[in-house]
Amino acid sequence: MKRAHLIAFWTAAIIHCHGVAGDLATTCIGKFPNPVTDICWSCILPISLGGTTMANLAKQEDIANPSNPVCSCGVNPAIGLSIGYWEPARHVEVVRRPFCLVSLGGLDLNPGIPSPSAALVPDAGGQSSSFYQAHFYTNPVMYWLRVIADFPCMERGSFDLAYLTEVDPLWNDDELSLILNPEAVLFANPVAVAACAADCVAATTGFSLPQLFWCAGCQGSVLPLDGHVRTHGGGVRTSELLTQRLTAKMHRELLAWGWHGKRGLCGPYFLPIMDKTAYKLQLTHPIADTGKLGGKCCQPFGRTTVLWGAGKEYPIKGEDFAFMLFRKRNCCVGY
């Protein structure tokens, strides 16, 4: 009897470790992003004063800035200058193995909490759906590197793990996720899906369309805000989509705020529906995308991965992905 119990125990353990057929969670390998070699610093450009561009290289993309170069903030208004740039401040990783912190050198944080591993699930039509876990970091790299001393227009802090989807039951359940995004039901129709084609074109030539907030450009749909992807289009494309979803989820939960535009001059503000045009991303793992494509190495949300994702995924050690997020920042310097 004891032997039967022992066999049952080890059988359950093997199933728990290896998961179902198609399980992707086999390794936990990574590295901390080197701020010198793995971050594309030209992504902070352009820098603007009011509506005028003061510094740019290779025509980096930008969104509209407050037109007036003079600004004021506070009850007793303090006068300052309206500055705009793209701040490297957040970091997202998309992983196969639960609690695998790729951006912390492949640290396995597993506290013993059961959580689903990543998986590919083939269907009868020859396509596959997929699921991944994701992590959200605060990474105000300009501050902790002291790139600019005494500059008030940047977030102060350190590299820190802010969110784990493994402990979020909404990330693994389409129905539970409706608590955060009930509008997903409205956009689950062919017309809304077809509209995302226009978002893809816009993102590939510039920035995606903020009016189509349910679209993720060429990656598909931002909704639902969970880790299930109906059509797996490769690791780079899928991880870019989940990076958008997790960032949108942070906004919906009021854990990420808006920092751009006229409203952002005097500080952050609530932005429960993410403005897709306020972010650019740069791949930092497994292969840091620092080779400039047309003079650029960061991409607006939704841009097709055909232009920048080729050769960035490889077996075993190159199937987890991490991205540096550059967010648009406008502030009143002098306030």
Side-chain angles (χ1 to χ4, degrees):
M1 193 69 173
K2 290 183 178 180
R3 182 178 179 184
H5 287 167
L6 186 62
I7 293 174
F9 171 79
W10 284 113
T11 301
I14 292 172
I15 293 174
H16 175 75
C17 292
H18 293 280
V20 298
D23 194 334
L24 301 179
T26 56
T27 59
C28 183
I29 299 171
K31 69 172 184 175
F32 187 84
N34 187 317
V36 176
T37 61
D38 294 339
I39 295 179
C40 183
W41 288 101
S42 64
C43 294
I44 69 173
L45 302 172
I47 298 173
S48 61
L49 173 62
T52 303
T53 298
M54 305 299 294
N56 200 358
L57 291 173
K59 297 182 179 180
Q60 303 286 334
E61 290 106 340
D62 198 10
I63 59 175
N65 295 283
S67 58
N68 194 341
V70 179
C71 53
S72 62
C73 294
V75 178
N76 299 313
I79 305 300
L81 296 176
S82 174
I83 301 296
Y85 76 108
W86 293 84
E87 179 185 22
R90 295 294 181 264
H91 199 86
V92 176
E93 62 185 19
V94 178
V95 301
R96 299 166 294 158
R97 183 172 178 171
F99 299 102
C100 174
L101 304 183
V102 169
S103 299
L104 291 179
L107 175 65
D108 190 352
L109 188 65
N110 192 353
I113 300 174
S115 184
S117 301
L120 289 178
V121 182
D123 60 20
Q127 294 183 333
S128 297
S129 61
S130 60
F131 173 82
Y132 287 82
Q133 300 287 356
H135 309 140
F136 198 81
Y137 296 85
T138 59
N139 187 16
V141 61
M142 291 181 65
Y143 175 74
W144 58 260
L145 280 180
R146 300 298 191 268
V147 172
I148 304 175
D150 299 325
F151 182 52
C153 191
M154 63 180 177
E155 182 177 344
R156 286 161 171 73
S158 59
F159 188 92
D160 194 12
L161 178 60
Y163 202 89
L164 288 160
T165 59
E166 288 89 341
V167 296
D168 182 357
L170 277 64
W171 187 254
N172 187 38
D173 193 310
D174 287 341
E175 293 182 0
L176 277 180
S177 69
L178 292 176
I179 297 172
L180 282 180
N181 51 263
E183 71 274 16
V185 177
L186 298 176
F187 298 107
N189 61 78
V191 176
V193 173
C196 293
D199 198 47
C200 175
V201 174
T204 302
T205 57
F207 286 92
S208 57
L209 303 173
Q211 297 86 351
L212 304 180
F213 63 89
W214 65 92
C215 295
C218 300
Q219 279 70 57
S221 177
V222 171
L223 303 176
L225 299 177
D226 61 30
H228 293 282
V229 178
R230 180 170 297 179
T231 303
H232 182 79
V236 177
R237 179 177 179 271
T238 299
S239 61
E240 204 272 357
L241 170 61
L242 294 181
T243 296
Q244 290 190 64
R245 284 189 181 180
L246 184 57
T247 306
K249 182 180 174 69
M250 296 297 97
H251 276 272
R252 186 59 60 93
E253 295 177 353
L254 302 182
L255 299 177
W257 295 3
W259 294 81
H260 63 291
K262 188 175 181 180
R263 294 175 63 192
L265 286 173
C266 301
Y269 55 92
F270 289 143
L271 192 64
I273 297 179
M274 178 186 71
D275 183 353
K276 300 179 293 181
T277 66
Y279 290 96
K280 296 179 184 179
L281 56 77
Q282 179 229 333
L283 185 69
T284 60
H285 181 82
I287 299 176
D289 189 11
T290 55
K292 301 185 187 307
L293 177 64
K296 303 165 188 173
C297 48
C298 53
Q299 319 298 328
F301 274 179
R303 179 163 293 174
T304 175
T305 56
V306 172
L307 299 178
W308 58 273
K312 298 297 191 298
E313 179 182 11
Y314 53 91
I316 302 176
K317 294 184 179 181
E319 296 180 274
D320 298 313
F321 304 90
F323 297 89
M324 187 76 203
L325 294 190
F326 293 77
R327 69 182 178 198
K328 180 63 179 181
R329 183 77 183 264
N330 292 107
C331 65
C332 192
V333 177
Y335 161 59

